[in-house]
């Protein structure tokens, strides 16, 4: 495990107080813009033909900024990061400089690259949507679940203790099967499973504009679904006491209840759950075309192919953005489906 210096902790406190980023513990990279699934709640795959990807030169160019800002972890997101043919070369560059790597993946290519994943990636987070038939249906990909299962087994055959966790988006098509998702996570022998509601209102996930009502209705729960969801959540909390207490379910019981509140708020029946989030102060997102965002859901600042990452994040406009950002009032922050609240003393590698 990485040890965090007192100096780095101080720099993180300083960042939060001054809005000038002197420490950036997490950077999210999108090595490849395309995806090998066609999920109902995501539009990334719809632009697969317009390929964008990060290069070895891009990653090498980031190193100076990452070193200056003391970056501890790089999260490889996407699209599907493993579609980048130079993915492990990108990892090698980062690992040689002591940076931990976490891979977010559909799981379809884990078996093919199992040896390289164990060598160059520190942990993997896979997407899980249900039991086998439901997972395949939501992914619009026959055999997706079996490939995921084979991939996890292949990695664990090489390293039985390797950390693989799951992330599940709860929405109209799978909320009835929430208990089965937990059972599937156990069948796959994942270390943990995490849940969040579906984003239906932002321009993230390759949307040229926010979804209109008919498209939202395909994914978000209806008003008539809400009492059923509430009952299911009550059942989860009653039935999976051990899984909550052991941390196998990543969220607290209160956070699981907030998924109901989120969908209720989409219908104007409540306020959105209040979140504590400092993502724009502790992380940054570099997209496959080089654009830099403060998080997945907020507008881009600039591009790493124009100037270094640390200069982008500490430009006058970026500092002003952080100074003026009120998450209780910003429409996107209020309705955000996820949040990152990282204490300056917390090392992200140990989460």
């Amino acid at each position: 495990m990485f040890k965090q210096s007192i100096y780095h902790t101080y720099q993180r406190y300083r960042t939060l107080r001054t809005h000038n980023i002197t420490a950036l513990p997490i950077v999210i990279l999108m090595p490849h813009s395309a995806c090998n699934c066609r999920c109902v709640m995501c539009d990334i795959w719809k632009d697969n033909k317009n390929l964008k990807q990060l290069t070895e030169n891009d990653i090498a160019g980031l190193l100076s900024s990452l070193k200056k800002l003391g970056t501890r972890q790089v999260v490889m997101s996407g699209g599907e990061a493993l579609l980048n043919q130079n993915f492990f070369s990108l990892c090698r560059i980062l690992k040689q400089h002591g940076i931990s790597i976490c891979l977010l993946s559909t799981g379809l290519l884990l078996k093919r690259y199992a040896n390289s994943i164990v060598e160059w990636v520190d942990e993997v987070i896979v997407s899980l949507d249900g039991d086998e038939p439901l997972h395949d249906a939501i992914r619009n990909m026959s055999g997706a679940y079996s490939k995921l299962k084979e991939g996890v087994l292949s990695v664990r055959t090489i390293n039985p203790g390797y950390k693989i966790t799951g992330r599940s988006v709860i929405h109209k098509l799978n909320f009835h099967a929430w208990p089965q998702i937990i059972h599937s996570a156990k069948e796959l022998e994942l270390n943990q499973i995490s849940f969040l509601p579906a984003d239906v209102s932002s321009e993230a996930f390759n949307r040229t504009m926010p979804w209109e009502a008919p498209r939202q209705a395909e994914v978000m729960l209806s008003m008539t679904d809400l009492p059923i969801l509430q009952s299911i959540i009550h059942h989860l909390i009653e039935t999976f006491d051990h899984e909550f207490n052991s941390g196998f379910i990543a969220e607290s019981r209160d956070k699981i209840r907030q998924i109901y509140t989120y969908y209720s708020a989409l219908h104007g029946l409540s306020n959105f759950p209040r979140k504590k989030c400092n993502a724009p102060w502790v992380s940054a997102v570099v997209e496959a075309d080089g654009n830099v965002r403060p998080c997945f859901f907020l507008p881009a600042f600039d591009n790493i192919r124009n100037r270094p990452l640390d200069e982008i994040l500490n430009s006058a406009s970026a500092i002003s953005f952080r100074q003026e950002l009120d998450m209780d009032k910003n429409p996107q922050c209020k309705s955000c489906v996820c949040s990152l609240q990282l204490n300056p003393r917390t090392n992200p590698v140990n989460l």
Side-chain angles (χ1 to χ4, degrees):
M1 289 296 179
F2 291 71
K3 292 184 178 180
Q4 182 166 302
S5 69
I6 294 173
Y7 176 75
H8 182 75
T9 300
Y10 164 74
Q11 293 291 67
R12 286 168 62 178
Y13 275 111
R14 182 182 172 198
T15 293
L16 293 174
R17 294 190 65 178
T18 66
H19 305 287
N20 184 61
I21 292 184
T22 52
L24 191 72
I26 301 174
V27 170
I28 298 100
L29 302 181
M30 297 181 177
H32 201 275
S33 64
C35 190
N36 51 7
C37 286
R38 297 170 293 178
C39 302
V40 296
M41 62 284 189
C42 178
D43 288 345
I44 289 175
W45 59 273
K46 293 182 179 180
D47 199 40
N48 278 0
K49 62 182 181 298
N50 296 316
L51 175 62
K52 297 178 281 292
Q53 58 185 337
L54 296 175
T55 67
E56 292 178 59
N57 286 338
D58 290 327
I59 304 305
L62 281 171
L63 285 175
S64 176
S65 294
L66 300 184
K67 183 177 180 180
K68 185 183 298 184
L69 298 174
T71 299
R72 296 292 190 264
Q73 183 183 62
V74 164
V75 178
M76 297 293 200
S77 184
E80 172 55 63
L82 290 172
L83 290 175
N84 187 314
Q85 293 184 346
N86 295 313
F87 176 75
F88 294 105
S89 295
L90 308 186
C91 293
R92 188 178 300 112
I93 294 169
L94 295 167
K95 293 285 286 184
Q96 287 171 348
H97 290 79
I99 295 172
S100 173
I101 296 174
C102 173
L103 169 64
L104 307 185
S105 177
T106 63
L108 300 186
L109 296 173
L110 293 186
K111 181 178 180 180
R112 180 185 301 178
Y113 297 118
N115 284 295
S116 295
I117 287 170
V118 170
E119 181 176 4
W120 296 110
V121 177
D122 294 281
E123 64 176 293
V124 173
I125 301 173
V126 296
S127 299
L128 180 62
D129 298 303
D131 59 12
E132 184 166 2
L134 184 56
H135 181 83
D136 289 3
I138 290 173
R139 299 263 127 192
N140 276 308
M141 185 67 59
S142 177
Y145 187 93
S146 63
K147 289 180 180 178
L148 170 59
K149 187 174 183 178
E150 290 172 358
V152 172
L153 177 61
S154 296
V155 171
R156 289 272 168 72
T157 298
I158 299 167
N159 180 357
Y162 192 91
K163 185 178 180 181
I164 307 176
T165 61
R167 181 172 295 171
S168 184
V169 178
I170 299 297
H171 50 78
K172 186 180 185 69
L173 299 183
N174 69 355
F175 81 99
H176 289 91
W178 202 335
Q180 284 71 42
I181 298 173
I182 298 171
H183 291 305
S184 293
K186 289 184 172 184
E187 179 193 5
L188 293 168
E189 298 185 5
L190 302 182
N191 296 98
Q192 189 181 60
I193 183 70
S194 176
F195 299 101
L196 71 162
D199 170 55
V200 298
S201 58
S202 81
E203 294 183 13
F205 310 108
N206 194 45
R207 298 167 191 160
T208 56
M209 62 182 66
W211 283 344
E212 295 183 354
R215 181 68 175 95
Q216 289 183 344
E218 295 176 14
V219 175
M220 67 182 280
L221 277 68
S222 68
M223 289 185 68
T224 57
D225 290 328
L226 292 178
I228 305 170
L229 174 64
Q230 194 168 41
S231 176
I232 289 170
I233 289 174
H234 179 75
H235 170 74
L236 291 176
I237 291 171
E238 290 265 313
T239 306
F240 293 100
D241 192 59
H242 172 73
E243 287 74 13
F244 280 107
N245 292 338
S246 68
F248 182 77
I249 296 175
E251 288 75 22
S252 67
R253 294 164 177 83
D254 283 342
K255 282 199 171 183
I256 293 296
R257 291 187 186 101
Q258 287 179 5
I259 293 180
Y260 169 84
T261 308
Y262 168 81
Y263 281 113
S264 174
L266 286 176
H267 290 287
L269 301 177
S270 66
N271 294 323
F272 285 101
R274 192 174 186 275
K275 306 170 194 70
K276 293 179 66 177
C277 179
N278 58 10
W281 289 265
V282 301
S283 65
V285 177
V286 181
E287 297 182 307
D289 60 1
N291 278 339
V292 177
R293 294 178 181 266
C295 78
F296 283 106
F297 305 98
L298 295 171
F301 292 139
D302 202 337
N303 194 292
I304 59 167
R305 292 164 186 169
N306 295 333
R307 52 179 171 161
L309 177 64
D310 61 297
E311 291 185 17
I312 293 172
L313 296 177
N314 286 318
S315 64
S317 60
I319 292 173
S320 177
F321 171 83
R322 289 189 290 273
Q323 288 173 332
E324 296 172 7
L325 181 59
D326 185 338
M327 294 188 176
D328 290 331
K329 295 180 180 178
N330 181 284
Q332 187 53 63
C333 293
K334 285 174 64 176
S335 62
C336 187
V337 298
C338 64
S339 60
L340 173 65
Q341 180 68 19
L342 194 62
N343 184 289
R345 294 180 180 273
T346 303
N347 189 335
V349 178
N350 297 334
L351 292 177

